[in-house]
Amino acid sequence: MNTSSNTPWPLPFWIAHRGAGKLAPENTLAAFRLGAAHGYRAFECDVKLSLDGVPFLLHDSSLRRTSTGSGLASAQSWSELSRLDAGSWHSRAHAGEPLASLEAVARFVQANCFGLNLELKPTPGQERLTGQVVGREVLRLWGGVEAHLPLFSSFEPVALEGARETAPGVPRGLLLDSPRESWLDEAQSLGCVAVITNYRLMDAARVQAIHAAGMKALVYTANDESVVAWLRANGVDGIITDAVDRFAPDH
């Protein structure tokens, strides 16, 4: 049974990947602001837990690629993480940009009435815990206002289970990067409202199967005009893109 079926669909068609995660340092408020400046009203980002259980934005398990830190992010407290520079790796213009807490992101999107796709990106071994903690925090930060709740997504079904345990009314989407026979059963058993695939996996038959199951069909990360045209013609419900400077979002 789809436990989130009564929650309004929270996202417009166009969603900016990791904020404007190529034009600015990914998963930072600078990237969100730049995406908003290009007209985007919804954002995808990755969320994981610090050592002391604070949800914050980071794609990798390691800090090295996108900050001045090193080692596992989950091994450091939020006090330590919040002092890192998460912008200078990208460009001088963004030097000093901090890692973004989920709380800071919540304030930004709520102030602007933006949509948010929160990808649960747990450090390995913290799948269920990450879902549980982020679920609780979303209910606290959003105050249970259903019209503006984010969409949870994850490649990890256990993380989505954790989120359902603590925040059953927040909509969920299953992420797919490679084909497997059980994907539709998994999405339905998790009460998902959407399936979000690598754009290369999405074909007309998969769109039809997702729609027949009463779910939305979304893709990531489509940046090519011909690919986008095909996806739109075949009924895809949303596109996550890096190309915020090339695709003008229609709301």
Side-chain angles (χ1 to χ4, degrees):
M1 176 182 242
N2 192 329
T3 57
S4 299
S5 58
N6 295 324
T7 302
W9 175 245
L11 298 173
F13 184 84
W14 285 102
I15 304 161
H17 187 228
R18 303 182 193 171
K22 296 294 186 185
L23 303 178
E26 64 181 58
N27 283 318
T28 65
L29 285 175
F32 278 60
R33 292 188 185 102
L34 187 55
H38 282 280
Y40 278 72
R41 297 185 58 80
F43 302 88
E44 182 270 354
C45 60
D46 305 288
V47 62
K48 54 172 31 75
L49 302 180
S50 67
L51 178 63
D52 47 344
V54 176
F56 73 101
L57 272 53
L58 188 72
H59 178 273
D60 303 355
S61 292
S62 169
L63 291 157
R64 184 173 299 279
R65 181 175 65 87
T66 57
S67 82
T68 52
S70 61
L72 281 178
S74 62
Q76 299 187 35
S77 69
W78 175 242
S79 176
E80 294 170 301
L81 294 168
S82 66
R83 293 194 291 269
L84 297 176
D85 179 341
S88 60
W89 69 272
H90 181 275
S91 59
R92 288 181 179 177
H94 291 293
E97 180 70 24
L99 292 167
S101 67
L102 178 59
E103 185 164 3
V105 169
R107 286 197 299 267
F108 176 80
V109 298
Q110 290 173 29
N112 292 285
C113 296
F114 290 158
L116 187 64
N117 171 197
L118 274 178
E119 181 184 342
L120 303 171
K121 202 80 172 181
T123 300
Q126 295 189 343
E127 289 80 7
R128 187 176 299 276
L129 177 65
T130 300
Q132 291 170 333
V133 172
V134 175
R136 283 194 295 268
E137 280 295 282
V138 162
L139 292 185
R140 180 181 72 85
L141 294 168
W142 271 260
V145 181
E146 286 194 351
H148 301 292
L149 286 172
L151 172 73
F152 288 141
S153 65
S154 189
F155 293 102
E156 304 289 345
V158 175
L160 291 173
E161 288 176 1
R164 180 169 60 177
E165 289 168 7
T166 56
V170 178
R172 295 174 295 281
L174 180 66
L175 279 163
L176 285 179
D177 193 44
S178 56
R180 58 179 183 266
E181 290 185 5
S182 61
W183 67 272
L184 187 56
D185 289 339
E186 286 178 27
Q188 290 178 302
S189 68
L190 288 163
C192 289
V193 299
V195 175
I196 309 166
T197 78
N198 185 311
Y199 75 87
R200 295 180 180 89
L201 288 185
M202 194 63 78
D203 55 25
R206 201 180 299 271
V207 173
Q208 185 176 14
I210 293 168
H211 286 168
M215 294 182 285
K216 303 278 190 184
L218 284 77
V219 299
Y220 71 90
T221 309
N223 300 323
D224 180 82
E225 289 184 10
S226 62
V227 169
V228 166
W230 185 94
L231 291 165
R232 299 200 77 157
N234 283 272
V236 164
D237 300 297
I239 291 177
I240 300 169
T241 187
D242 293 312
V244 300
D245 53 341
R246 297 205 304 274
F247 296 115
D250 42 358
H251 305 306

